[in-house]
């Protein structure tokens, strides 16, 4: 099955640093979502984007829906230790037959206090 | 609001054995999904139900995997017989019929096939 390309694969940073990650697809979506997954848990939704070019924030997190509808970006500002986890992008075509999510390969974030 | 419940949390079986996973979605959520997440990868859809009907099972290995959602509420996913490559976390998610995302994932069942 299709998976989206996500980069970087992993990041090891110091507390307080800013983080950027991105996700690209060979096909277009009308919805982009960003999830965080911690060990032993399912993915938890962070930000949802519904319009090309849209820029949305959730606290220290900011995400953008690429204008080509084939990519999305997530930024985390002033990282803290509890930001540790795996971040996944997911694309979806809301209103389609299934609304299923196509996930990226994930970005592992480690934050050193 | 109670979340998506899954059981068991962990399961270890030998190859060629059978195993079943259970999911109880959020009350009132018409749509239920089973995803497979292999270590180091993102979740991949196995099957989607709307109420008790199958919407998409194109990625379900039907020679060994089966799923049902009797009465449009709880769902079970079965593997028979299991292979080593089935080792993964099996995630259940549910969402209401309307609304743009509204996905809620359970904590998953970690399956190890030895």
């Amino acid at each position: 099955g299709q998976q989206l390309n996500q980069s970087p694969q992993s990041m090891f940073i110091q507390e307080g640093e800013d983080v950027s990650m991105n996700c690209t697809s060979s096909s277009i979506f009308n919805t982009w979502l960003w999830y965080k997954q911690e060990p032993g848990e399912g993915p938890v939704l962070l930000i949802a984007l519904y319009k090309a070019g849209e820029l949305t924030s959730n606290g220290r997190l900011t995400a953008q829906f690429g204008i080509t509808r084939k990519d999305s970006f997530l930024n985390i500002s002033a990282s803290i230790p509890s930001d540790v986890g795996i971040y996944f992008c997911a694309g979806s075509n809301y209103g389609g037959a299934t609304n299923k999510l196509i996930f990226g390969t994930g970005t592992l974030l480690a934050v050193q206090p | 609001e109670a979340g998506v419940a899954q059981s068991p949390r962990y399961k270890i079986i030998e190859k060629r054995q059978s195993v079943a996973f259970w999911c109880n979605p959020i009350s009132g959520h018409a749509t239920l999904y089973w995803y497979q997440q292999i270590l180091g990868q993102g979740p991949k859809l196995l099957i989607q139900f709307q109420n008790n009907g199958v919407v998409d099972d194109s990625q379900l290995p039907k020679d060994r995997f089966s799923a049902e959602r009797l009465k449009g509420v709880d769902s079970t996913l079965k593997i028979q017989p299991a292979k080593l490559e089935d080792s993964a976390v099996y995630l259940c998610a549910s969402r209401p019929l309307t609304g743009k995302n509204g996905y809620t994932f359970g904590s998953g069942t970690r399956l190890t096939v030895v």
Side-chain angles (χ1 to χ4, degrees):
Chain A
Q2 180 189 9
Q3 255 200 333
L4 309 180
N5 295 314
Q6 200 171 332
S7 64
Q9 191 173 11
S10 60
M11 303 181 74
F12 299 89
I13 62 172
Q14 297 285 331
E15 182 176 1
E17 290 185 17
D18 296 344
V19 169
S20 293
M21 58 190 80
N22 67 68
C23 190
T24 59
S25 169
S26 57
S27 52
I28 62 174
F29 295 108
N30 64 23
T31 301
W32 280 94
L33 306 165
W34 284 92
Y35 287 85
K36 179 186 179 185
Q37 188 174 28
E38 298 185 19
E41 299 298 327
V44 174
L45 182 66
L46 299 173
I47 291 181
L49 302 156
Y50 304 110
K51 187 176 177 182
E54 179 182 358
L55 187 71
T56 297
S57 294
N58 178 8
R60 294 178 296 105
L61 277 62
T62 302
Q64 184 160 24
F65 191 140
I67 57 173
T68 66
R69 297 171 62 191
K70 291 184 176 182
D71 58 3
S72 181
F73 307 86
L74 176 70
N75 296 316
I76 304 173
S77 62
S79 58
I80 59 178
S82 61
D83 290 334
V84 166
I86 303 176
Y87 291 79
F88 289 100
C89 61
S92 178
N93 283 313
Y94 175 74
T98 71
N99 293 333
K100 67 182 178 184
L101 299 181
I102 308 295
F103 279 87
T105 48
T107 295
L108 171 65
L109 178 62
V111 181
Q112 184 169 357
Chain B
E1 178 182 72
V4 176
Q6 289 189 247
S7 67
R9 287 299 307 270
Y10 307 94
K11 191 74 176 177
I12 300 174
I13 63 172
E14 296 183 349
K15 59 184 178 183
R16 291 186 290 272
Q17 285 188 327
S18 301
V19 65
F21 313 126
W22 174 80
C23 173
N24 185 13
I26 291 175
S27 178
H29 280 193
T31 308
L32 184 149
Y33 305 82
W34 283 101
Y35 282 82
Q36 180 192 57
Q37 186 176 21
I38 293 172
L39 186 65
Q41 299 182 17
K44 294 179 182 177
L45 181 69
L46 290 175
I47 188 168
Q48 175 187 350
F49 292 93
Q50 186 164 302
N51 297 311
N52 60 351
V54 175
V55 175
D56 183 352
D57 64 356
S58 58
Q59 299 302 311
L60 188 73
K62 298 180 187 63
D63 57 332
R64 298 184 300 105
F65 285 64
S66 64
E68 60 182 10
R69 191 183 183 197
L70 300 176
K71 301 180 182 178
V73 182
D74 293 7
S75 177
T76 56
L77 176 69
K78 297 179 182 178
I79 308 175
Q80 180 181 8
K83 293 185 176 181
L84 295 177
E85 59 260 37
D86 298 332
S87 294
V89 175
Y90 290 85
L91 293 163
C92 179
S94 70
R95 64 187 298 273
L97 200 56
T98 57
K100 285 193 171 181
N101 49 20
Y103 261 77
T104 302
F105 282 87
S107 297
T109 295
R110 180 176 294 278
L111 173 68
T112 302
V113 183
V114 298

